[in-house]
Amino acid sequence: MNANKQIILTSILLLTAVSYALGHLTGGGLQNFQYNAELVSVAPIVDGYLDDPVWEAALPGKLEQELMNGQRWPESPDFTGSFAAVWRGGFLYIAIKLADDQLETRQTKLLREDHLILYIDPHHTGRKEELYRYTIPIGKETSELKPPLTRVAWGSNGQTCELSFRLDNLAKKGNSVGFIIAYNDVDGGRLQHKIAWAPQGYTEADEMLPDLVFTAKIEPNTQQKLIQWGRIKSLY
Ligand SMILES: [Ca+2]
Ligand SMILES: [Ca+2]
Ligand SMILES: [Ca+2]
């Protein structure tokens, strides 16, 4: 092999290594994939029912990526789900809508029941740390919650859910947290599917988390003043 050929070959190998490393870092198309949680003027009531006005305005994120086989998941009677998120006063609020043809909630072992898996990484390390993992059985409420999760409430026979996370000053305009939500569908006593809000090609082997970004169409401070002014006016 002459010197020129060797240089070309080395360059190709280097480029391959670099693009592999980059691809690995960004996961399955994560760079253009994020959820924008919008600041709202009135927080939703975390009671499990999605009749709060903020949920009508929030954009839904669909659970349409099958994490076990990496394929897109079409809407189907087997499972259809979506979520939305908004923030206010240091809290992140999440609403979830689920439809599952065989809801399994009466097993003694959690993994034999339908359940949600959420990751909220407040420090935005981008990785799926066990510390930030939440396993939430469908239709059940418990008072023992791992911070920053402060509340879980179910409504409509396990078809709707509201969650709140206390993030304090991390919930501010322009900040991001790592986030993913998946539904582990147990039908007929067996875990059949893991369906997530995630980019195309993403699987459970992917370590990086998508971003949830705190957005605000108006300045949080201006909004605060408007609310206060509204309160003052309502006193008269
Ligand atoms: Ca509600
Ligand atoms: Ca199902
Ligand atoms: Ca099920």
Side-chain angles (χ1 to χ4, degrees):
M1 195 183 290
N2 66 33
N4 270 349
K5 265 192 186 161
Q6 205 157 15
I7 287 168
I8 290 169
L9 193 65
T10 313
S11 311
I12 289 171
L13 282 175
L14 262 176
L15 277 175
T16 314
V18 167
S19 57
Y20 173 78
L22 280 175
H24 206 66
L25 273 177
T26 50
L30 279 180
Q31 59 276 58
N32 294 317
F33 189 86
Q34 67 179 48
Y35 183 86
N36 293 339
E38 182 65 20
L39 172 68
V40 289
S41 50
V42 180
I45 295 165
V46 185
D47 58 1
Y49 293 91
L50 312 186
D51 50 2
D52 314 72
V54 292
W55 297 134
E56 276 169 39
L59 275 182
K62 286 189 175 169
L63 276 64
E64 56 184 359
Q65 179 66 17
E66 221 290 12
L67 299 182
M68 290 161 93
N69 63 15
Q71 304 286 311
R72 288 314 251 180
W73 176 266
E75 280 204 7
S76 98
D78 191 348
F79 174 74
T80 296
S82 61
F83 82 98
V86 295
W87 63 284
R88 162 140 204 98
F91 282 85
L92 173 68
Y93 299 92
I94 297 177
I96 302 160
K97 251 192 221 175
L98 307 166
D100 180 356
D101 57 344
Q102 295 180 46
L103 198 56
E104 187 54 78
T105 59
R106 287 185 210 155
Q107 296 293 331
T108 45
K109 280 189 183 154
L110 174 69
L111 295 180
R112 302 201 66 176
E113 293 185 337
D114 292 306
H115 56 281
L116 285 166
I117 301 282
L118 261 93
Y119 281 88
I120 290 246
D121 171 8
H123 306 297
H124 202 223
T125 60
R127 294 201 159 268
K128 286 184 191 159
E129 298 285 348
E130 197 55 36
L131 185 61
Y132 310 131
R133 186 182 202 267
Y134 295 89
T135 306
I136 299 169
I138 306 306
K140 291 178 191 162
E141 286 166 32
T142 163
S143 52
E144 287 171 39
L145 298 173
K146 184 170 69 172
L149 180 60
T150 52
R151 191 143 192 201
V152 177
W154 289 91
S156 322
N157 293 322
Q159 292 195 315
T160 58
C161 177
E162 282 175 303
L163 309 172
S164 59
F165 290 86
R166 185 181 171 163
L167 297 175
D168 294 323
N169 55 4
L170 292 173
K172 65 175 180 215
K173 187 180 176 181
N175 195 32
S176 301
V177 293
F179 176 76
I180 200 164
I181 178 168
Y183 185 78
N184 285 5
D185 189 5
V186 176
D187 290 343
R190 265 190 58 219
L191 177 62
Q192 305 281 0
H193 302 288
K194 298 180 177 180
I195 303 148
W197 169 79
Q200 207 153 358
Y202 193 93
T203 70
E204 54 191 331
D206 277 289
E207 279 295 309
M208 305 298 283
L209 290 170
D211 278 356
L212 181 144
V213 184
F214 296 94
T215 58
K217 290 200 183 84
I218 54 168
E219 284 303 317
N221 294 340
T222 316
Q223 196 187 34
Q224 196 66 42
K225 278 182 200 142
L226 285 175
I227 297 285
Q228 277 163 1
W229 178 235
R231 261 193 216 133
I232 291 163
K233 280 207 297 193
S234 70
L235 290 174
Y236 295 97

